[in-house]
Amino acid sequence: KNQVEQSPQSLIILEGKNCTLQCNYTVSPFSNLRWYKQDTGRGPVSLTIMTFSENTKSNGRYTATLDADTKQSSLHITASQLSDSASYICVVGAPYNNNDMRFGAGTRLTVKP
Amino acid sequence: NAGVTQTPKFRVLKTGQSMTLLCAQDMNHEYMYWYRQDPGMGLRLIHYSVGEGTTAKGEVPDGYNVSRLKKQNFLLGLESAAPSQTSVYFCASTGGQETQYFGPGTRLLVL
């Protein structure tokens, strides 16, 4: 069973609208939680990195939140643009081991004009 | 800086053939990784390296070998390709507990 579950699997929104993507994880303990954007046919690109003690991190129109008590994170996208169409991947990193990162399957976002 | 580059971009193999995927980074990173990405699944770690001359197994290492003879290069080898190895392969690098930089990926089809 994947230790990082993302929802929804896919989402379609109209340009200019906001949306929120969810990530639930069971990795424990953990040291950091990351969100990546992956355009079709490209490698993932980092959006945000939060340590276990942080509860929010922004990068332009992207805002990630983290609730370590409930083991949930969300990625909020404001005023969506056509270029936001991509897969968004949640990644949870275990402590003491930089190589132990658990990847979610991603949410596929489509922004339509 | 070119960042992380991968060659080839696409390859078709027949079952039993061998090949090597090359990953190169120009950011002087110590850590390098090979992942595979399959539909509906998260990226899975195949092998990784914490420095020149060192390699270690990840989550799904069977059927793959790696080498890190130079700090900037990380090679992934398939000795005898199988259809189950059809996937998209990503290389990544990082300097530590920070951002991972990914390459553009290699699409491999094993017939």
Side-chain angles (χ1 to χ4, degrees):
Chain A
K1 178 172 166 54
N2 197 351
Q3 295 178 295
V4 181
E5 299 286 347
Q6 293 187 243
S7 61
Q9 283 189 329
S10 62
L11 180 64
I12 300 174
I13 63 173
L14 292 177
E15 186 179 13
K17 298 296 186 182
N18 303 336
C19 68
T20 300
L21 314 181
Q22 299 291 341
C23 174
N24 295 339
Y25 60 92
T26 58
V27 180
S28 183
F30 77 101
S31 66
N32 58 73
L33 188 144
R34 309 166 186 227
W35 283 94
Y36 287 86
K37 178 186 179 187
Q38 184 176 21
D39 292 315
T40 301
R42 310 286 289 270
V45 174
S46 179
L47 292 175
T48 63
I49 301 176
M50 291 181 290
T51 66
F52 65 90
S53 60
E54 295 178 291
N55 54 27
T56 188
K57 184 70 70 80
S58 291
N59 178 359
R61 294 180 297 102
Y62 301 101
T63 299
T65 63
L66 173 62
D67 186 334
D69 291 333
T70 61
K71 295 186 172 57
Q72 295 180 325
S73 176
S74 64
L75 181 69
H76 186 74
I77 304 175
T78 304
S80 61
Q81 299 175 0
L82 298 179
S83 59
D84 291 331
S85 294
S87 288
Y88 292 84
I89 301 172
C90 174
V91 185
V92 181
Y96 318 123
N97 186 349
N98 191 44
N99 311 295
D100 189 4
M101 283 182 278
R102 309 300 170 91
F103 288 75
T107 291
R108 177 69 202 175
L109 174 66
T110 302
V111 180
K112 292 195 170 183
Chain B
N1 289 349
V4 180
T5 58
Q6 293 182 230
T7 53
K9 288 185 170 55
F10 179 69
R11 184 76 183 269
V12 179
L13 289 180
K14 294 181 180 179
T15 296
Q17 288 185 318
S18 63
M19 77 164 294
T20 300
L21 284 68
L22 171 63
C23 175
Q25 53 94 3
D26 60 2
M27 296 172 283
N28 201 35
H29 285 165
E30 290 292 338
Y31 297 84
M32 296 187 74
Y33 311 81
W34 275 107
Y35 295 93
R36 60 178 288 172
Q37 186 175 40
D38 300 297
M41 301 180 70
L43 276 78
R44 291 181 293 169
L45 183 63
I46 304 171
H47 285 279
Y48 64 95
S49 169
V50 300
E52 181 180 322
T54 71
T55 63
K57 295 180 180 179
E59 181 185 356
V60 288
D62 294 344
Y64 305 96
N65 57 76
V66 288
S67 64
R68 183 102 181 264
L69 299 179
K70 293 183 179 180
K71 186 176 184 179
Q72 63 267 34
N73 295 336
F74 195 28
L75 279 64
L76 178 70
L78 285 73
E79 291 185 346
S80 179
S84 61
Q85 293 178 305
T86 292
S87 188
V88 182
Y89 292 85
F90 287 99
C91 176
S93 72
T94 181
Q97 285 280 350
E98 55 192 60
T99 301
Q100 266 191 325
Y101 293 87
F102 284 83
T106 294
R107 279 168 171 68
L108 176 65
L109 175 62
V110 182
L111 301 175

